[in-house]
Amino acid sequence: MARLVMKFGGTSVADIERIRNVARHVKREVDAGHQVAVVVSAMSGTTNQLVAWTRETAKLHDAREYDTIVATGEQVTVGLLAIALQEMGVSARSWLGWQIPILTDGAHGAARIQEIDGAGLIERLEEGQVAVIAGFQGLGPDQRITTLGRGGSDTSAVAIAAAIQADRCDIYTDVDGVYTTDPRIVAKARKLDKISYEEMLEMASQGAKVLQTRSVELAMVHRVRLQVRSSFDAPDAPHILAGEIPGTLVCDEEEIVEQQVVSGIAYSRDEAKVTLLNVADRPGIAARIFGPLANSSINVDMIIQNVSDDGKYTHMTFTVPQAELARAEDVIRKAKDEIGYEDMGTDLNVVKVSVIGIGMRSHCGVAATMFETLAEKGINIQAITTSEIKVSVLIAAEYSELAVRALHTAYGMDAE
Ligand code: ASP
Ligand code: MG
C-alpha cells in the first residue's frame, strides 16, 4: 500500500466527462489499496475568465478580492469530482484550502505556502476516504483566501505530498511526460524517463511550461518524487493496471543511471531587452541601475556591459520579463539623473534559448557547441548567461524555432 497524491490540471477536468475519467483514475488507485489525496485545478479557461472579469471591473483592484474571485474555479471542480467519485462507490470529500488549512503568507495573488498540518487529512485517508483538495488556494494571515499565482495547483499538490508524507506525487497533465524540448517545435523531441530536480527546475524557469517552477523547487527541498504523466491514458489500460507508469519521473540525480551531458532545451518568449546607451564607465553605475529595479521587485535576468571605446562611456543591456517592462522603464526613467545615461531602447522581439544538463558540471565544450551551432545558422547572439548546469542565449525571436531544432540535433538528442 502506498500513499499517493494525484494532481489533475485544467484540461483534465474541462468537462463532466473528463471529470468522470479523472474519477476512474482515482478509483483505480483506491482499488489497488492505496491512500489517495487528489488535487485539482479549475476547468480549463475558467481562471482566465475570472481574471478577465476582475480586470474588467477595475484595472487596479484590491488583491484580496481578486483572490476571493479567482479561487472559485477550484471550488467547483473539487465538488464535482467528489460527487463523481461517490457515484462510483468511492468514499470521498472535498477540501478547500482554508478547511485543511493550507496556511500561506499574505502576498495576495502570489502567496507562498508556509504550513500545512497534514494530520486531519491523514486521519481521513487512513479511514479509506479520498481527499479531493482545491489547488491554487490557501488561507492568509489576515484570515482571507489567498492564491498561489497562475499554475499554482502544481505547487499545492507538491506541498500536500510533503505534508502527508506521500510516497509519490503524480502530476496528470495533457502531455505524457517531460520532453527534451517542446515536441510542437521539434518533431524528434524525446520523452525523458527521468530528470533530476535541478534540471527540471532550470527547464521550468527557462520556459518549459510543464510544471510551475515553484512546485519543482518545493519538490526538490522536500525530496518529493514527482511523476509527470498523461491524464488521457485510459484509466484501465493494461499497462497502467500492471503498474507501469509511462511518464517522466523527477527525482534525485543519484537515481539517474544514464546521465546525459545535455538533457533538454528550453525557450522563453517572455523576455524583454532593455539597452541603456552611453552610461558612464565608472564604479557604482551598475548599482544605480539595478538597485532601483531590485527595490521594485523587478527580476533582471541577463546582463551585459559592453566594453567602452574611450574608457568613459559604455552601453548596458539587460533583460526583464515582458510583463515587467513598463514598470522597469518607469523605474529607469525616474533614476535617469542619478544613472546618467543618454538614451534607453527596448526590444520585445527576442527569445531566450537555454541548453540544460547536469553533465555540464563535468564536461567542457557545451557552450562552444551552442555558439558554433548558432553561428552556422547565421544567428546572432545578443546576450549570454550561464549557470553550473545551463547556458542561455538571447536571440531575435524569428530564429527561435530554427535555433531550438539545430541545437537539439547538435547535442545528439534527436529521436531515431
Ligand atoms: N487554475 C489556476 C490557473 O489557471 C491554477 C492552476 O491551474 O494551476 O492558474
Ligand atoms: Mg498547470
mmCIF file of all heavy atoms in Angstrom, residues 12-57:
data_model
loop_
_atom_site.group_PDB
_atom_site.id
_atom_site.type_symbol
_atom_site.label_atom_id
_atom_site.label_comp_id
_atom_site.label_asym_id
_atom_site.label_seq_id
_atom_site.Cartn_x
_atom_site.Cartn_y
_atom_site.Cartn_z
ATOM 1 N N SER A 12 -7.673 18.426 -17.869
ATOM 2 C CA SER A 12 -8.105 17.092 -17.427
ATOM 3 C C SER A 12 -9.459 17.123 -16.724
ATOM 4 O O SER A 12 -10.074 16.088 -16.516
ATOM 5 C CB SER A 12 -7.068 16.487 -16.477
ATOM 6 O OG SER A 12 -5.783 16.582 -17.019
ATOM 7 N N VAL A 13 -9.910 18.321 -16.333
ATOM 8 C CA VAL A 13 -11.223 18.439 -15.670
ATOM 9 C C VAL A 13 -12.114 19.417 -16.441
ATOM 10 O O VAL A 13 -12.979 20.081 -15.868
ATOM 11 C CB VAL A 13 -11.075 18.891 -14.191
ATOM 12 C CG1 VAL A 13 -10.383 17.823 -13.358
ATOM 13 C CG2 VAL A 13 -10.323 20.222 -14.065
ATOM 14 N N ALA A 14 -11.854 19.508 -17.778
ATOM 15 C CA ALA A 14 -12.501 20.548 -18.584
ATOM 16 C C ALA A 14 -14.013 20.388 -18.720
ATOM 17 O O ALA A 14 -14.721 21.358 -18.976
ATOM 18 C CB ALA A 14 -11.864 20.597 -19.969
ATOM 19 N N ASP A 15 -14.508 19.168 -18.580
ATOM 20 C CA ASP A 15 -15.971 18.978 -18.627
ATOM 21 C C ASP A 15 -16.328 17.761 -17.774
ATOM 22 O O ASP A 15 -15.446 17.095 -17.219
ATOM 23 C CB ASP A 15 -16.464 18.839 -20.075
ATOM 24 C CG ASP A 15 -15.767 17.695 -20.811
ATOM 25 O OD1 ASP A 15 -15.537 16.628 -20.192
ATOM 26 O OD2 ASP A 15 -15.437 17.866 -22.004
ATOM 27 N N ILE A 16 -17.627 17.463 -17.706
ATOM 28 C CA ILE A 16 -18.065 16.412 -16.775
ATOM 29 C C ILE A 16 -17.532 15.043 -17.197
ATOM 30 O O ILE A 16 -17.131 14.235 -16.360
ATOM 31 C CB ILE A 16 -19.614 16.388 -16.679
ATOM 32 C CG1 ILE A 16 -20.122 17.770 -16.223
ATOM 33 C CG2 ILE A 16 -20.087 15.301 -15.721
ATOM 34 C CD1 ILE A 16 -19.580 18.248 -14.892
ATOM 35 N N GLU A 17 -17.486 14.798 -18.504
ATOM 36 C CA GLU A 17 -16.975 13.505 -18.950
ATOM 37 C C GLU A 17 -15.512 13.332 -18.525
ATOM 38 O O GLU A 17 -15.104 12.265 -18.071
ATOM 39 C CB GLU A 17 -17.150 13.373 -20.477
ATOM 40 C CG GLU A 17 -17.026 11.952 -21.006
ATOM 41 C CD GLU A 17 -17.564 10.857 -20.050
ATOM 42 O OE1 GLU A 17 -18.725 10.971 -19.610
ATOM 43 O OE2 GLU A 17 -16.807 9.910 -19.734
ATOM 44 N N ARG A 18 -14.738 14.399 -18.653
ATOM 45 C CA ARG A 18 -13.325 14.293 -18.250
ATOM 46 C C ARG A 18 -13.191 14.152 -16.743
ATOM 47 O O ARG A 18 -12.293 13.474 -16.240
ATOM 48 C CB ARG A 18 -12.539 15.507 -18.749
ATOM 49 C CG ARG A 18 -12.377 15.452 -20.253
ATOM 50 C CD ARG A 18 -11.285 16.372 -20.721
ATOM 51 N NE ARG A 18 -11.262 16.420 -22.166
ATOM 52 C CZ ARG A 18 -10.642 17.343 -22.874
ATOM 53 N NH1 ARG A 18 -9.986 18.316 -22.241
ATOM 54 N NH2 ARG A 18 -10.656 17.317 -24.176
ATOM 55 N N ILE A 19 -14.075 14.790 -16.002
ATOM 56 C CA ILE A 19 -14.044 14.637 -14.544
ATOM 57 C C ILE A 19 -14.347 13.185 -14.179
ATOM 58 O O ILE A 19 -13.711 12.604 -13.290
ATOM 59 C CB ILE A 19 -15.021 15.629 -13.871
ATOM 60 C CG1 ILE A 19 -14.454 17.055 -14.011
ATOM 61 C CG2 ILE A 19 -15.251 15.267 -12.404
ATOM 62 C CD1 ILE A 19 -15.340 18.148 -13.493
ATOM 63 N N ARG A 20 -15.275 12.569 -14.913
ATOM 64 C CA ARG A 20 -15.544 11.143 -14.685
ATOM 65 C C ARG A 20 -14.308 10.311 -14.985
ATOM 66 O O ARG A 20 -14.014 9.338 -14.298
ATOM 67 C CB ARG A 20 -16.688 10.660 -15.591
ATOM 68 C CG ARG A 20 -18.021 10.969 -15.014
ATOM 69 C CD ARG A 20 -19.110 10.049 -15.559
ATOM 70 N NE ARG A 20 -20.359 10.661 -15.182
ATOM 71 C CZ ARG A 20 -21.115 11.400 -16.001
ATOM 72 N NH1 ARG A 20 -20.776 11.554 -17.269
ATOM 73 N NH2 ARG A 20 -22.209 11.969 -15.562
ATOM 74 N N ASN A 21 -13.590 10.703 -16.026
ATOM 75 C CA ASN A 21 -12.366 9.978 -16.371
ATOM 76 C C ASN A 21 -11.330 10.100 -15.248
ATOM 77 O O ASN A 21 -10.647 9.145 -14.901
ATOM 78 C CB ASN A 21 -11.808 10.510 -17.694
ATOM 79 C CG ASN A 21 -10.767 9.584 -18.278
ATOM 80 O OD1 ASN A 21 -11.022 8.406 -18.463
ATOM 81 N ND2 ASN A 21 -9.575 10.112 -18.524
ATOM 82 N N VAL A 22 -11.241 11.302 -14.680
ATOM 83 C CA VAL A 22 -10.344 11.510 -13.538
ATOM 84 C C VAL A 22 -10.772 10.597 -12.388
ATOM 85 O O VAL A 22 -9.937 9.930 -11.751
ATOM 86 C CB VAL A 22 -10.370 12.994 -13.098
ATOM 87 C CG1 VAL A 22 -9.708 13.159 -11.735
ATOM 88 C CG2 VAL A 22 -9.662 13.870 -14.132
ATOM 89 N N ALA A 23 -12.077 10.537 -12.146
ATOM 90 C CA ALA A 23 -12.588 9.693 -11.054
ATOM 91 C C ALA A 23 -12.191 8.229 -11.282
ATOM 92 O O ALA A 23 -11.851 7.509 -10.336
ATOM 93 C CB ALA A 23 -14.101 9.833 -10.947
ATOM 94 N N ARG A 24 -12.199 7.798 -12.554
ATOM 95 C CA ARG A 24 -11.794 6.408 -12.842
ATOM 96 C C ARG A 24 -10.315 6.183 -12.527
ATOM 97 O O ARG A 24 -9.935 5.133 -12.004
ATOM 98 C CB ARG A 24 -12.051 6.068 -14.320
ATOM 99 C CG ARG A 24 -13.525 5.861 -14.620
ATOM 100 C CD ARG A 24 -13.758 5.456 -16.093
ATOM 101 N NE ARG A 24 -15.088 5.888 -16.474
ATOM 102 C CZ ARG A 24 -15.357 6.878 -17.340
ATOM 103 N NH1 ARG A 24 -14.377 7.510 -17.959
ATOM 104 N NH2 ARG A 24 -16.601 7.223 -17.584
ATOM 105 N N HIS A 25 -9.491 7.195 -12.858
ATOM 106 C CA HIS A 25 -8.061 7.075 -12.487
ATOM 107 C C HIS A 25 -7.921 6.945 -10.972
ATOM 108 O O HIS A 25 -7.120 6.157 -10.468
ATOM 109 C CB HIS A 25 -7.288 8.325 -12.944
ATOM 110 C CG HIS A 25 -6.854 8.290 -14.386
ATOM 111 N ND1 HIS A 25 -5.862 7.470 -14.841
ATOM 112 C CD2 HIS A 25 -7.281 9.001 -15.466
ATOM 113 C CE1 HIS A 25 -5.679 7.670 -16.148
ATOM 114 N NE2 HIS A 25 -6.541 8.596 -16.549
ATOM 115 N N VAL A 26 -8.679 7.747 -10.255
ATOM 116 C CA VAL A 26 -8.586 7.735 -8.789
ATOM 117 C C VAL A 26 -9.074 6.386 -8.257
ATOM 118 O O VAL A 26 -8.429 5.763 -7.403
ATOM 119 C CB VAL A 26 -9.409 8.896 -8.183
ATOM 120 C CG1 VAL A 26 -9.425 8.803 -6.653
ATOM 121 C CG2 VAL A 26 -8.834 10.243 -8.635
ATOM 122 N N LYS A 27 -10.187 5.925 -8.794
ATOM 123 C CA LYS A 27 -10.763 4.648 -8.328
ATOM 124 C C LYS A 27 -9.773 3.498 -8.533
ATOM 125 O O LYS A 27 -9.649 2.614 -7.690
ATOM 126 C CB LYS A 27 -12.075 4.373 -9.067
ATOM 127 C CG LYS A 27 -12.786 3.105 -8.598
ATOM 128 C CD LYS A 27 -14.158 2.979 -9.234
ATOM 129 C CE LYS A 27 -14.989 1.851 -8.630
ATOM 130 N NZ LYS A 27 -14.387 0.538 -8.704
ATOM 131 N N ARG A 28 -9.046 3.559 -9.663
ATOM 132 C CA ARG A 28 -8.062 2.506 -9.921
ATOM 133 C C ARG A 28 -7.050 2.403 -8.783
ATOM 134 O O ARG A 28 -6.732 1.328 -8.301
ATOM 135 C CB ARG A 28 -7.327 2.799 -11.246
ATOM 136 C CG ARG A 28 -6.240 1.790 -11.590
ATOM 137 C CD ARG A 28 -5.364 2.279 -12.727
ATOM 138 N NE ARG A 28 -4.571 3.438 -12.339
ATOM 139 C CZ ARG A 28 -4.527 4.589 -13.017
ATOM 140 N NH1 ARG A 28 -5.224 4.729 -14.132
ATOM 141 N NH2 ARG A 28 -3.789 5.584 -12.586
ATOM 142 N N GLU A 29 -6.572 3.573 -8.323
ATOM 143 C CA GLU A 29 -5.559 3.557 -7.260
ATOM 144 C C GLU A 29 -6.175 3.132 -5.924
ATOM 145 O O GLU A 29 -5.540 2.450 -5.128
ATOM 146 C CB GLU A 29 -4.903 4.944 -7.121
ATOM 147 C CG GLU A 29 -4.231 5.457 -8.399
ATOM 148 C CD GLU A 29 -3.071 4.594 -8.897
ATOM 149 O OE1 GLU A 29 -2.656 3.651 -8.201
ATOM 150 O OE2 GLU A 29 -2.577 4.874 -10.014
ATOM 151 N N VAL A 30 -7.426 3.548 -5.700
ATOM 152 C CA VAL A 30 -8.108 3.152 -4.461
ATOM 153 C C VAL A 30 -8.325 1.637 -4.453
ATOM 154 O O VAL A 30 -8.045 0.965 -3.466
ATOM 155 C CB VAL A 30 -9.461 3.897 -4.328
ATOM 156 C CG1 VAL A 30 -10.267 3.362 -3.144
ATOM 157 C CG2 VAL A 30 -9.215 5.397 -4.180
ATOM 158 N N ASP A 31 -8.771 1.117 -5.605
ATOM 159 C CA ASP A 31 -8.999 -0.329 -5.712
ATOM 160 C C ASP A 31 -7.707 -1.119 -5.509
ATOM 161 O O ASP A 31 -7.726 -2.257 -5.055
ATOM 162 C CB ASP A 31 -9.601 -0.691 -7.089
ATOM 163 C CG ASP A 31 -11.050 -0.233 -7.216
ATOM 164 O OD1 ASP A 31 -11.646 0.154 -6.179
ATOM 165 O OD2 ASP A 31 -11.597 -0.246 -8.340
ATOM 166 N N ALA A 32 -6.585 -0.507 -5.871
ATOM 167 C CA ALA A 32 -5.296 -1.187 -5.693
ATOM 168 C C ALA A 32 -4.830 -1.122 -4.236
ATOM 169 O O ALA A 32 -3.757 -1.612 -3.902
ATOM 170 C CB ALA A 32 -4.250 -0.557 -6.610
ATOM 171 N N GLY A 33 -5.641 -0.463 -3.398
ATOM 172 C CA GLY A 33 -5.329 -0.446 -1.969
ATOM 173 C C GLY A 33 -4.557 0.779 -1.494
ATOM 174 O O GLY A 33 -4.103 0.825 -0.357
ATOM 175 N N HIS A 34 -4.407 1.773 -2.370
ATOM 176 C CA HIS A 34 -3.634 2.950 -1.976
ATOM 177 C C HIS A 34 -4.488 4.004 -1.285
ATOM 178 O O HIS A 34 -5.698 4.079 -1.500
ATOM 179 C CB HIS A 34 -2.978 3.588 -3.209
ATOM 180 C CG HIS A 34 -2.081 2.648 -3.949
ATOM 181 N ND1 HIS A 34 -1.151 1.854 -3.312
ATOM 182 C CD2 HIS A 34 -1.985 2.353 -5.266
ATOM 183 C CE1 HIS A 34 -0.516 1.117 -4.207
ATOM 184 N NE2 HIS A 34 -1.016 1.387 -5.408
ATOM 185 N N GLN A 35 -3.845 4.822 -0.452
ATOM 186 C CA GLN A 35 -4.498 6.012 0.105
ATOM 187 C C GLN A 35 -4.291 7.150 -0.888
ATOM 188 O O GLN A 35 -3.177 7.372 -1.356
ATOM 189 C CB GLN A 35 -3.856 6.395 1.441
ATOM 190 C CG GLN A 35 -4.065 5.352 2.522
ATOM 191 C CD GLN A 35 -3.415 5.765 3.827
ATOM 192 O OE1 GLN A 35 -2.902 6.875 3.964
ATOM 193 N NE2 GLN A 35 -3.443 4.864 4.790
ATOM 194 N N VAL A 36 -5.355 7.884 -1.183
ATOM 195 C CA VAL A 36 -5.253 8.875 -2.250
ATOM 196 C C VAL A 36 -5.754 10.253 -1.838
ATOM 197 O O VAL A 36 -6.874 10.405 -1.353
ATOM 198 C CB VAL A 36 -6.056 8.420 -3.498
ATOM 199 C CG1 VAL A 36 -5.896 9.437 -4.626
ATOM 200 C CG2 VAL A 36 -5.610 7.042 -3.974
ATOM 201 N N ALA A 37 -4.905 11.261 -2.050
ATOM 202 C CA ALA A 37 -5.343 12.652 -1.986
ATOM 203 C C ALA A 37 -5.267 13.196 -3.411
ATOM 204 O O ALA A 37 -4.260 12.987 -4.095
ATOM 205 C CB ALA A 37 -4.432 13.466 -1.069
ATOM 206 N N VAL A 38 -6.329 13.837 -3.880
ATOM 207 C CA VAL A 38 -6.351 14.371 -5.238
ATOM 208 C C VAL A 38 -6.321 15.893 -5.149
ATOM 209 O O VAL A 38 -7.009 16.482 -4.313
ATOM 210 C CB VAL A 38 -7.642 13.964 -5.989
ATOM 211 C CG1 VAL A 38 -7.485 14.209 -7.479
ATOM 212 C CG2 VAL A 38 -7.992 12.524 -5.727
ATOM 213 N N VAL A 39 -5.524 16.518 -5.998
ATOM 214 C CA VAL A 39 -5.514 17.982 -6.072
ATOM 215 C C VAL A 39 -5.966 18.364 -7.477
ATOM 216 O O VAL A 39 -5.450 17.820 -8.455
ATOM 217 C CB VAL A 39 -4.109 18.549 -5.785
ATOM 218 C CG1 VAL A 39 -4.077 20.061 -5.986
ATOM 219 C CG2 VAL A 39 -3.670 18.201 -4.366
ATOM 220 N N VAL A 40 -6.940 19.247 -7.586
ATOM 221 C CA VAL A 40 -7.404 19.639 -8.920
ATOM 222 C C VAL A 40 -7.318 21.140 -9.153
ATOM 223 O O VAL A 40 -7.365 21.950 -8.224
ATOM 224 C CB VAL A 40 -8.867 19.187 -9.211
ATOM 225 C CG1 VAL A 40 -8.950 17.690 -9.362
ATOM 226 C CG2 VAL A 40 -9.820 19.693 -8.151
ATOM 227 N N SER A 41 -7.197 21.483 -10.439
ATOM 228 C CA SER A 41 -7.283 22.880 -10.900
ATOM 229 C C SER A 41 -8.731 23.179 -11.253
ATOM 230 O O SER A 41 -9.585 22.288 -11.226
ATOM 231 C CB SER A 41 -6.477 23.061 -12.180
ATOM 232 O OG SER A 41 -5.137 22.775 -11.996
ATOM 233 N N ALA A 42 -8.948 24.411 -11.672
ATOM 234 C CA ALA A 42 -10.245 24.801 -12.218
ATOM 235 C C ALA A 42 -10.367 24.239 -13.628
ATOM 236 O O ALA A 42 -9.368 23.901 -14.263
ATOM 237 C CB ALA A 42 -10.331 26.316 -12.256
ATOM 238 N N MET A 43 -11.600 24.144 -14.147
ATOM 239 C CA MET A 43 -11.789 23.735 -15.538
ATOM 240 C C MET A 43 -11.006 24.681 -16.442
ATOM 241 O O MET A 43 -10.965 25.882 -16.183
ATOM 242 C CB MET A 43 -13.273 23.832 -15.904
ATOM 243 C CG MET A 43 -14.145 22.804 -15.220
ATOM 244 S SD MET A 43 -15.868 23.117 -15.677
ATOM 245 C CE MET A 43 -16.660 21.636 -15.072
ATOM 246 N N SER A 44 -10.423 24.142 -17.513
ATOM 247 C CA SER A 44 -9.561 24.998 -18.328
ATOM 248 C C SER A 44 -10.336 26.207 -18.857
ATOM 249 O O SER A 44 -11.486 26.084 -19.258
ATOM 250 C CB SER A 44 -8.952 24.206 -19.483
ATOM 251 O OG SER A 44 -9.970 23.754 -20.326
ATOM 252 N N GLY A 45 -9.709 27.349 -18.813
ATOM 253 C CA GLY A 45 -10.347 28.581 -19.271
ATOM 254 C C GLY A 45 -11.060 29.334 -18.155
ATOM 255 O O GLY A 45 -11.244 30.548 -18.239
ATOM 256 N N THR A 46 -11.434 28.625 -17.098
ATOM 257 C CA THR A 46 -12.209 29.272 -16.032
ATOM 258 C C THR A 46 -11.423 30.383 -15.334
ATOM 259 O O THR A 46 -11.924 31.498 -15.154
ATOM 260 C CB THR A 46 -12.659 28.226 -14.988
ATOM 261 O OG1 THR A 46 -13.468 27.259 -15.636
ATOM 262 C CG2 THR A 46 -13.429 28.873 -13.856
ATOM 263 N N THR A 47 -10.183 30.061 -14.940
ATOM 264 C CA THR A 47 -9.409 31.059 -14.202
ATOM 265 C C THR A 47 -9.158 32.288 -15.077
ATOM 266 O O THR A 47 -9.245 33.427 -14.594
ATOM 267 C CB THR A 47 -8.092 30.454 -13.679
ATOM 268 O OG1 THR A 47 -8.394 29.209 -13.037
ATOM 269 C CG2 THR A 47 -7.417 31.374 -12.683
ATOM 270 N N ASN A 48 -8.872 32.056 -16.363
ATOM 271 C CA ASN A 48 -8.683 33.199 -17.274
ATOM 272 C C ASN A 48 -9.918 34.091 -17.287
ATOM 273 O O ASN A 48 -9.813 35.321 -17.259
ATOM 274 C CB ASN A 48 -8.437 32.719 -18.710
ATOM 275 C CG ASN A 48 -7.051 32.123 -18.876
ATOM 276 O OD1 ASN A 48 -6.196 32.295 -18.020
ATOM 277 N ND2 ASN A 48 -6.835 31.430 -19.971
ATOM 278 N N GLN A 49 -11.084 33.453 -17.346
ATOM 279 C CA GLN A 49 -12.334 34.214 -17.362
ATOM 280 C C GLN A 49 -12.503 35.022 -16.071
ATOM 281 O O GLN A 49 -12.872 36.197 -16.095
ATOM 282 C CB GLN A 49 -13.507 33.239 -17.546
ATOM 283 C CG GLN A 49 -14.873 33.890 -17.494
ATOM 284 C CD GLN A 49 -15.101 34.830 -18.674
ATOM 285 O OE1 GLN A 49 -15.299 34.393 -19.790
ATOM 286 N NE2 GLN A 49 -15.033 36.135 -18.431
ATOM 287 N N LEU A 50 -12.184 34.387 -14.950
ATOM 288 C CA LEU A 50 -12.336 35.063 -13.657
ATOM 289 C C LEU A 50 -11.384 36.263 -13.555
ATOM 290 O O LEU A 50 -11.763 37.337 -13.087
ATOM 291 C CB LEU A 50 -12.088 34.070 -12.515
ATOM 292 C CG LEU A 50 -13.110 32.921 -12.402
ATOM 293 C CD1 LEU A 50 -12.586 31.819 -11.483
ATOM 294 C CD2 LEU A 50 -14.458 33.449 -11.891
ATOM 295 N N VAL A 51 -10.157 36.044 -14.026
ATOM 296 C CA VAL A 51 -9.175 37.137 -14.013
ATOM 297 C C VAL A 51 -9.676 38.282 -14.904
ATOM 298 O O VAL A 51 -9.614 39.466 -14.533
ATOM 299 C CB VAL A 51 -7.787 36.640 -14.489
ATOM 300 C CG1 VAL A 51 -6.829 37.802 -14.701
ATOM 301 C CG2 VAL A 51 -7.207 35.640 -13.492
ATOM 302 N N ALA A 52 -10.200 37.914 -16.070
ATOM 303 C CA ALA A 52 -10.674 38.939 -17.007
ATOM 304 C C ALA A 52 -11.820 39.759 -16.394
ATOM 305 O O ALA A 52 -11.849 40.986 -16.515
ATOM 306 C CB ALA A 52 -11.131 38.275 -18.314
ATOM 307 N N TRP A 53 -12.727 39.094 -15.721
ATOM 308 C CA TRP A 53 -13.843 39.826 -15.086
ATOM 309 C C TRP A 53 -13.335 40.797 -14.027
ATOM 310 O O TRP A 53 -13.822 41.913 -13.897
ATOM 311 C CB TRP A 53 -14.820 38.835 -14.437
ATOM 312 C CG TRP A 53 -15.761 38.192 -15.409
ATOM 313 C CD1 TRP A 53 -16.147 38.697 -16.628
ATOM 314 C CD2 TRP A 53 -16.429 36.943 -15.256
ATOM 315 N NE1 TRP A 53 -17.016 37.825 -17.235
ATOM 316 C CE2 TRP A 53 -17.218 36.739 -16.421
ATOM 317 C CE3 TRP A 53 -16.452 35.965 -14.261
ATOM 318 C CZ2 TRP A 53 -18.006 35.608 -16.611
ATOM 319 C CZ3 TRP A 53 -17.248 34.842 -14.449
ATOM 320 C CH2 TRP A 53 -18.010 34.661 -15.604
ATOM 321 N N THR A 54 -12.316 40.326 -13.286
ATOM 322 C CA THR A 54 -11.763 41.185 -12.234
ATOM 323 C C THR A 54 -11.180 42.459 -12.850
ATOM 324 O O THR A 54 -11.449 43.569 -12.393
ATOM 325 C CB THR A 54 -10.656 40.421 -11.467
ATOM 326 O OG1 THR A 54 -11.160 39.148 -11.127
ATOM 327 C CG2 THR A 54 -10.243 41.153 -10.222
ATOM 328 N N ARG A 55 -10.403 42.253 -13.937
ATOM 329 C CA ARG A 55 -9.753 43.408 -14.589
ATOM 330 C C ARG A 55 -10.779 44.321 -15.226
ATOM 331 O O ARG A 55 -10.609 45.542 -15.259
ATOM 332 C CB ARG A 55 -8.779 42.919 -15.660
ATOM 333 C CG ARG A 55 -7.634 42.160 -15.058
ATOM 334 C CD ARG A 55 -6.365 42.265 -15.916
ATOM 335 N NE ARG A 55 -5.286 41.578 -15.245
ATOM 336 C CZ ARG A 55 -4.613 40.542 -15.757
ATOM 337 N NH1 ARG A 55 -4.897 40.106 -16.966
ATOM 338 N NH2 ARG A 55 -3.655 39.972 -15.067
ATOM 339 N N GLU A 56 -11.854 43.702 -15.753
ATOM 340 C CA GLU A 56 -12.888 44.493 -16.411
ATOM 341 C C GLU A 56 -13.590 45.399 -15.395
ATOM 342 O O GLU A 56 -13.978 46.524 -15.702
ATOM 343 C CB GLU A 56 -13.888 43.536 -17.065
ATOM 344 C CG GLU A 56 -14.783 44.173 -18.112
ATOM 345 C CD GLU A 56 -15.785 43.146 -18.667
ATOM 346 O OE1 GLU A 56 -15.405 41.976 -18.888
ATOM 347 O OE2 GLU A 56 -16.948 43.538 -18.854
ATOM 348 N N THR A 57 -13.718 44.886 -14.193
ATOM 349 C CA THR A 57 -14.408 45.662 -13.148
ATOM 350 C C THR A 57 -13.555 46.853 -12.708
ATOM 351 O O THR A 57 -14.058 47.960 -12.550
ATOM 352 C CB THR A 57 -14.724 44.761 -11.933
ATOM 353 O OG1 THR A 57 -15.361 43.586 -12.409
ATOM 354 C CG2 THR A 57 -15.629 45.467 -10.940
#
